[in-house]
Amino acid sequence: MNKQQVIEKTIAFVKEVLKNAEGGHDWFHIERVYKNSILIAKSEEVDVFVVALGALLHDIADSKFHNGDETVGPKVATDFLQSQQVDSVIIEHVVQIINNISFKGGKVIRTFSSKELDVVQDADRLDAIGAIGIARAINYGGFKNRVIYNPDIAPDLNMTKEEYKKSTAPTINHFYEKLLLLKDKMNTETGKQLAKQRHEFMELYLEQFYKEWNGEV
């Protein structure tokens, strides 16, 4: 098995599958997570091949776009990796990364742990915060036809996994229900360092947002 060839074929596969995906979960999201995963992996003792495949395939079939079905992504990834004659142990590791990477309201405890999962999860969470995270949140809110902000609807920090998945709350609520929580949920030291700056940028954004909303100087 030529690992570099497998990675190149995986990239081509993901680009094709996600060519019409929503802007916050498209190939460019995958590419950013992939690049950040490789960056973080440099400071961790991990199997970089597993990290690369996990990053490239982590959103191959996000349940949000498949009626909440969380089995689609792992199946698509498994079928593809088997077609590339990837070792079954590696495939299982990648599937576990896909199954355990998501935030899902922050109430779900991971059923699997590995340093590779830590790296890919941090990279995915980094793409949900900062300037890009803000853009993705607003883009997805528009995609789902949600209001940007409604001061009469307070953020809900006690949602179950199912409530979180079905939420139709305003986009600004998502900052409090997920984005601002991610800084303290990072796994690696590199992830924590990168998250700090992005977190501070979101706080500045919200401060400016409320000033403009309320007509303040």
Side-chain angles (χ1 to χ4, degrees), residues 107 148-159 164 167-181 206 210:
K107 299 290 191 300
I148 295 174
Y149 176 55
N150 184 338
D152 296 326
I153 303 176
D156 185 354
L157 301 181
N158 296 303
M159 286 186 286
Y164 178 81
S167 174
T168 59
T171 297
I172 290 297
N173 288 28
H174 190 57
F175 282 77
Y176 301 95
E177 294 166 351
K178 176 182 178 180
L179 308 189
L180 293 171
L181 305 178
L206 288 171
Y210 293 126

Side-chain angles (χ1 to χ4, degrees), residues 33 37 51 54-55 58 97 101 116-124:
V33 172
S37 292
V51 166
H58 82 278
I97 289 173
I101 193 172
E116 289 77 11
L117 170 58
D118 288 346
V119 168
V120 180
Q121 188 173 61
D122 277 7
D124 188 41

Side-chain angles (χ1 to χ4, degrees), residues 17-134:
V17 171
L18 299 182
K19 63 183 179 182
N20 295 315
E22 178 268 331
H25 299 80
D26 57 4
W27 159 249
F28 294 111
H29 162 63
I30 302 298
E31 183 178 43
R32 292 189 301 269
V33 172
Y34 172 61
K35 288 179 177 178
N36 276 329
S37 292
I38 299 304
L39 173 65
I40 297 171
K42 292 178 180 179
S43 302
E44 304 291 329
E45 293 183 8
V46 294
D47 184 330
V48 178
F49 185 55
V50 170
V51 166
L53 293 179
L56 290 169
L57 293 166
H58 82 278
D59 259 350
I60 195 62
D62 192 304
S63 63
K64 287 192 288 294
F65 306 103
H66 291 82
N67 298 315
D69 189 344
E70 297 177 5
T71 68
V72 180
K75 184 180 187 309
V76 171
T78 297
D79 290 347
F80 171 75
L81 293 176
Q82 286 178 342
S83 76
Q84 302 302 311
Q85 286 80 52
V86 174
D87 186 272
S88 61
V89 174
I90 293 176
I91 294 177
E92 176 59 24
H93 197 162
V94 172
V95 166
Q96 291 288 2
I97 289 173
I98 296 170
N99 281 332
N100 288 274
I101 193 172
S102 183
F103 180 74
K104 297 173 184 173
K107 299 290 191 300
V108 179
I109 298 174
R110 292 191 333 191
T111 59
F112 172 84
S113 294
S114 76
K115 294 295 292 182
E116 289 77 11
L117 170 58
D118 288 346
V119 168
V120 180
Q121 188 173 61
D122 277 7
D124 188 41
R125 288 176 171 177
L126 283 170
D127 206 55
I129 60 178
I132 287 175
I134 293 170

